[in-house]
Amino acid sequence: MQNNLLNSFGNIKAKNKKAFAVLLDPDGLSEERLSELLTMSTQSKVDYFFVGGSLITHYVVEQSIRMIKEQSNVPVILFPGNSLHISPLADGILFLSLISGRNPEFLIGQQVVAAPLLKASGLEVMPTGYLLVDGGRPTTVSYISNTNPIPHNKPAIAACTAMAGEMLGLKLMYLDAGSGAENVVSSEMVSAVRKAVDTPLIVGGGINSVEKAQHLLEAGADVIVVGNGIEKDISLLAEIAKTVEAFNIN
Ligand code: 1GP
């Protein structure tokens, strides 16, 4: 299996660059809105599309990926809520293990069910430690996964969790305050995790302003993920893309 996407994340970190991922949740997006977002993202520098969500209530994942592929060359990476959210039309998948939680179903159970399908799919599988962090309100992820998030003010717990994940062989870490979080992951936590592991670090949840994006990038996020913020205010896409680009020029 090729490791193009994983290598691209590794290069971003190795070269001290930053990347911007736009999260498209097929469940909450109309075709018109998706098309508008895709047009905007061809005018700005978007590095990845993450596609997924904790709960998908319509059969729209494949349809959404087809639309993305017709209108854009940006790689499409699945960000699945469970083993049902798999489509071979994407380029790769964040093969998540919810290592902040203590529910075996999301640590290894769903992954066992998904493994044979993934093997046959041709998708690039990226082993990813997923750390859910308290973002100030209950999230769909914590409800569905029946796990507690890491307390917002406990960077050491996040750092040790990521460290253990890296020792177990996970190749990416994703620190997530959850979709629509009131509070983004703290700069202290991002920086503690950054120091604790050598894997590329993805950070998301509640990023709805350039300032928040900037703080997380300064704290050590290699990739920032924005979903809700852009769905609410589409102009944020270009603004955040510019912020990420400014880091890369400097
Ligand atoms: C959620 O990290 C993602 O899992 C993105 O969150 O929708 O709040 O941007 P937002």
Side-chain angles (χ1 to χ4, degrees):
M1 180 179 296
Q2 300 237 318
N3 282 327
N4 299 340
L5 289 168
L6 203 50
N7 290 342
S8 74
F9 284 110
N11 281 335
I12 290 160
K13 172 158 190 292
K15 295 184 178 155
N16 221 359
K17 299 274 183 195
K18 306 289 183 185
F20 176 30
V22 171
L23 173 65
L24 303 171
D25 182 348
D27 208 46
L29 274 182
S30 64
E31 249 181 55
E32 295 73 41
R33 192 61 168 170
L34 177 56
S35 178
E36 208 181 338
L37 277 168
L38 291 170
T39 309
M40 289 290 281
S41 56
T42 52
Q43 293 155 9
S44 298
K45 174 115 175 52
V46 171
D47 298 287
Y48 305 101
F49 285 123
F50 286 0
V51 174
S54 322
L55 190 63
I56 297 182
T57 58
H58 300 92
Y59 289 107
V60 285
V61 177
E62 302 237 311
Q63 199 179 313
S64 304
I65 299 175
R66 264 197 205 98
M67 255 182 91
I68 302 170
K69 289 282 172 200
E70 276 162 20
Q71 294 186 42
S72 164
N73 293 323
V74 173
V76 176
I77 299 178
L78 297 172
F79 174 48
N82 63 48
S83 57
L84 297 174
H85 301 166
I86 294 173
S87 162
L89 299 179
D91 300 295
I93 180 167
L94 296 178
F95 195 42
L96 305 169
S97 181
L98 180 48
I99 56 175
S100 59
R102 297 294 177 269
N103 182 351
E105 188 55 24
F106 288 86
L107 278 164
I108 184 66
Q110 293 282 325
Q111 293 80 347
V112 171
V113 176
L117 301 177
L118 288 176
K119 192 143 191 153
S121 71
L123 288 165
E124 182 178 338
V125 177
M126 293 171 278
T128 305
Y130 184 68
L131 291 82
L132 185 62
V133 180
D134 187 357
R137 62 162 76 132
T139 57
T140 314
V141 187
S142 71
Y143 178 78
I144 297 267
S145 67
N146 200 11
T147 65
N148 290 324
I150 296 174
H152 193 261
N153 60 348
K154 299 287 181 195
I157 298 181
C160 295
T161 307
M163 226 186 267
E166 184 177 47
M167 287 172 180
L168 284 165
L170 299 172
K171 303 288 187 226
L172 300 171
M173 294 296 151
Y174 191 148
L175 265 179
D176 196 352
S179 208
E182 271 169 26
N183 310 312
V184 294
V185 177
S186 71
S187 296
E188 291 74 20
M189 191 178 278
V190 172
S191 129
V193 172
R194 172 69 297 145
K195 287 192 191 109
V197 295
D198 288 326
T199 63
L201 177 57
I202 305 168
V203 181
I207 304 174
N208 55 10
S209 71
V210 164
E211 292 71 30
K212 287 180 187 172
Q214 186 126 14
H215 288 146
L216 295 169
L217 292 166
E218 277 163 8
D222 300 303
V223 182
I224 50 166
V225 186
V226 186
N228 256 274
I230 291 172
E231 279 173 39
K232 290 199 178 117
D233 172 10
I234 203 161
S235 65
L236 194 64
L237 190 150
E239 288 170 24
I240 297 206
K242 265 190 216 139
T243 309
V244 174
E245 260 187 301
F247 266 85
N248 289 338
I249 290 163
N250 293 336

